[in-house]
């Protein structure tokens, strides 16, 4: 069995796309996932599966949620190795002391022509970012809610992205070991 992480985008935000964690667990169970664990209500799951095709697994899970909840969320699935690599390759190790200021944006595919120059013009003096192999690292010490860089990153990268703060990334990795 392989250990995977499912990061959902746009669920349980402002009353939109409600997905109770019990329903999420049931949906994962129905597609053959085992040892399912969830973390907070924003759509983070750790599970085991024999399936090797991540795109197929993502489509299956999204379709199963659509059957149960009448909406089809974007689901980004990562392997244990991919998440571990993203943690190890964090280019801003000094930022981990304030885990809510450090974000990892997991891209659904490699951007063909990311507009990094435009992103650089949007960043505040205190902000830093780096795109590394499918992960958009963002350190926003003043908060991502007030960051023009954060607000425009997905559009300027040109591919769908789902974002998690450092605390969440570390917590789900910890859960994978339990």
């Amino acid at each position: 069995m392989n250990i995977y992480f499912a990061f959902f985008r746009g669920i349980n935000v402002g009353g939109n796309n409600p997905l109770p964690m019990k329903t999420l667990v049931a949906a994962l169970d129905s597609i053959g996932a085992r040892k399912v664990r969830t973390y907070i209500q924003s759509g983070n799951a750790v599970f085991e599966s024999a399936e090797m095709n991540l795109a197929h697994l993502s489509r299956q899970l999204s379709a199963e949620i659509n059957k149960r909840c009448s909406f089809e969320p974007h689901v980004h699935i990562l392997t244990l190795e991919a998440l571990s690599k993203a943690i190890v390759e964090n280019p801003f190790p000094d930022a981990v002391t304030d885990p809510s200021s450090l974000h990892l944006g997991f891209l659904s595919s490699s951007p063909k022509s990311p507009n990094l120059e435009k992103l650089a013009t949007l960043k505040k003096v205190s902000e830093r970012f780096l795109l590394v192999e499918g992960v958009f690292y963002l350190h926003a010490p003043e908060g991502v809610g007030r960051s023009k860089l954060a607000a425009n990153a997905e559009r300027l990268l040109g591919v769908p992205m789902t974002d998690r703060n450092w605390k969440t990334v570390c917590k789900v990795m910890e859960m994978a070991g339990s």
Side-chain angles (χ1 to χ4, degrees):
M1 290 290 224
N2 305 296
I3 297 175
Y4 294 122
F5 303 91
F7 294 139
F8 292 78
R9 182 173 150 175
I11 66 163
N12 299 333
V13 178
N16 295 318
N17 298 330
L19 178 60
M21 294 300 98
K22 281 185 162 189
T23 304
L24 171 56
V25 170
L28 279 159
D29 284 341
S30 73
I31 64 165
R34 298 293 170 253
K35 296 184 180 177
V36 178
R37 287 128 14 238
T38 63
Y39 177 65
I40 64 177
Q41 297 295 310
S42 61
N44 305 288
V46 182
F47 62 97
E48 293 182 12
S49 175
E51 177 64 55
M52 300 293 284
N53 184 326
L54 299 184
H56 176 70
L57 192 57
S58 178
R59 285 190 302 272
Q60 274 188 304
L61 183 52
S62 189
E64 185 63 31
I65 291 167
N66 192 30
K67 277 197 272 184
R68 294 167 185 264
C69 301
S70 301
F71 70 91
E72 205 161 344
H74 173 80
V75 182
H76 190 80
I77 298 181
L78 289 170
T79 64
L80 178 64
E81 295 78 17
L83 189 60
S84 179
K85 183 178 181 187
I87 291 170
V88 168
E89 292 185 352
N90 169 24
F92 310 122
D94 57 310
V96 302
T97 58
D98 182 10
S100 65
S101 72
L102 179 59
H103 287 251
L104 283 68
F106 299 100
L107 307 181
S108 63
S109 62
S110 292
K112 300 220 184 313
S113 55
N115 193 341
L116 300 176
E117 296 80 22
K118 179 64 176 176
L119 282 170
T121 68
L122 295 175
K123 77 178 201 65
K124 294 179 181 177
V125 173
S126 64
E127 295 177 328
R128 303 177 283 175
F129 73 91
L130 190 63
L131 178 61
V132 180
E133 295 181 31
V135 181
F136 181 75
Y137 295 91
L138 171 62
H139 179 222
E142 296 174 44
V144 294
R146 290 183 243 129
S147 171
K148 288 181 184 178
L149 173 58
N152 290 282
E154 182 179 54
R155 180 178 59 81
L156 293 170
L157 291 170
V159 296
M161 174 174 77
T162 189
D163 182 83
R164 296 297 184 271
N165 70 30
W166 187 254
K167 179 180 178 182
T168 297
V169 168
C170 292
K171 181 61 179 177
V172 296
M173 180 57 85
E174 177 187 313
M175 289 169 59
S178 57

